[in-house]
Amino acid sequence: MSSVRVRMAPSPTGYFHVGSARTALFNWLFARQQGGTFVLRIEDTDTLRNRAEHTEGIERALRWLGLDWDEGPYFQSQRGGLYQDAVDRLLAGDHLYACDCTPEQVAARNKAANRPPGYDSFCRDRGLEPGPGRLLRFRTPDQGNTTWSDVVRGEVSYDNRAIEDFSVRKSSGQPLFILANVVDDGDMAISHVVRGEDHVPNTPKYLLLWEALQLGPPPAFAHLPLLVNASRQKLSKRRDKVALEDYRDEGYLPEAMVNYLALLGWSPGNDREVLSKEELVAEFRLDQVKSAPAFFDEKKLADVNANYLRAMKPEELVHRAQDWLASRWSPIADLVQERARTLSEVYSMVDFLYRADVRPDPAEWSKVRRQSPAFTELLGEATRRLTDCEWGPEGIREAVAAAGEAVGVTNLGKAQAPVRLAVTGRTVGPPLFEAMSLLGRNRSTARVEAALQRAREEDTAATARAPA
Ligand code: GLU
């Protein structure tokens, strides 16, 4: 093994961003090509967002892409002792001071002194002892620059005076990202930090901490370019389809995804666009990654995917499609089994999972409308509640029940009917809340919203027709 050691260090957030997938891939390609080690580290110091299912989602995403790791997963939530040692060393070296100012106090002081927002160093000389209710700040130098030679961006330099006295530990005693990140990279002997460009502003702080902890020569940094949409805006969860899971669920092939992600910031030249994983490992060059934002182009991704589909033998296509079809509905197989009498009934109970859009047929629609009190209002309430309820059968049940109650429909069966019709396009099927849980929040909510729209249009047309 070479001395190359890289890591993927995701924070658990509930879904795996395509940008994280690209970061993981570039780390993996570099490790495999250099005969190095690829470490998986879960940065879960933020206990509020720390959920086992999020971590499983990360591992599932990496496995789906075929990015195997050699060490880990390590969990920062289990490494508190190391961060405490680092804090002790930093305190002993007088690199930290305690501070009990609220953000409002800092903002007021900066405003009064006509300084830019950010932390001032008012507490530096107050001599507060560390203790409960006091966070710990790093004493940044008042002169000089912090500079590194970025593999992607070339020389990057920050004036130390522009770096605030950032905190390394919360007043609750919880270590902050920057501290745990540096300590772990040191402890894990990471040789190259390959991560998203959004971390560039953290790097001077990283380097100051690294030096204060006397960890020796720092790792090399390669900050990968931002991913942007067609309007050159940073990809965002609200605007763009960013969850890797969504692409997987739509039937993109992992090998096509890997191929496409590799082209986001790097290119093999000669307009080549289809490369196998082996070719990528051989040809990828970290030092050829460009710093310009990379356009995440769904159309191009679909083209690459189509390329892979066409290259298959028909029997392989059948096989792959069958696997995918089965993976989509198998989580509710037992529920379908209890209700279907033939295989074709199985199909009509699960087709809602595959259709891009569900438009209930007019006869069913009118029947449910006639039988459901407060149909339109209920769909409105449901849309609102489904947007932020806990996403699982129980959370969805509560949201639908509450939507019913809000419009005076206390019978859960009656409250469910319009929602079932909106989401599955049918009046019978597997248990609704499990079905929606599987379909996912975005698609379920979009369908309820589409039905709401249709109901409102009908209501408006009916009002216009009614005699004055
Ligand atoms: N946990 C950080 C994130 O998810 C990654 C930090 C790093 O790669 O250094 O953005």
Side-chain angles (χ1 to χ4, degrees), residues 97-101 105-106 109-110 115 119-128 137 165:
Y97 62 90
C99 169
D100 62 359
C101 298
Q105 288 169 328
V106 179
R109 280 201 303 267
N110 282 336
R115 277 191 304 253
Y119 286 103
D120 64 0
S121 50
F122 172 74
C123 283
R124 268 192 181 188
D125 305 317
R126 278 172 73 201
L128 286 181
R137 282 192 200 293
D165 281 1

Side-chain angles (χ1 to χ4, degrees), residues 64 241 247-248 250-254 257 298 301-302 305 324:
W64 181 67
K241 194 160 67 188
Y247 292 95
R248 182 191 60 202
E250 275 175 34
Y252 281 87
L253 304 167
M257 197 73 195
E298 279 183 45
L301 168 61
N305 202 63
W324 175 77

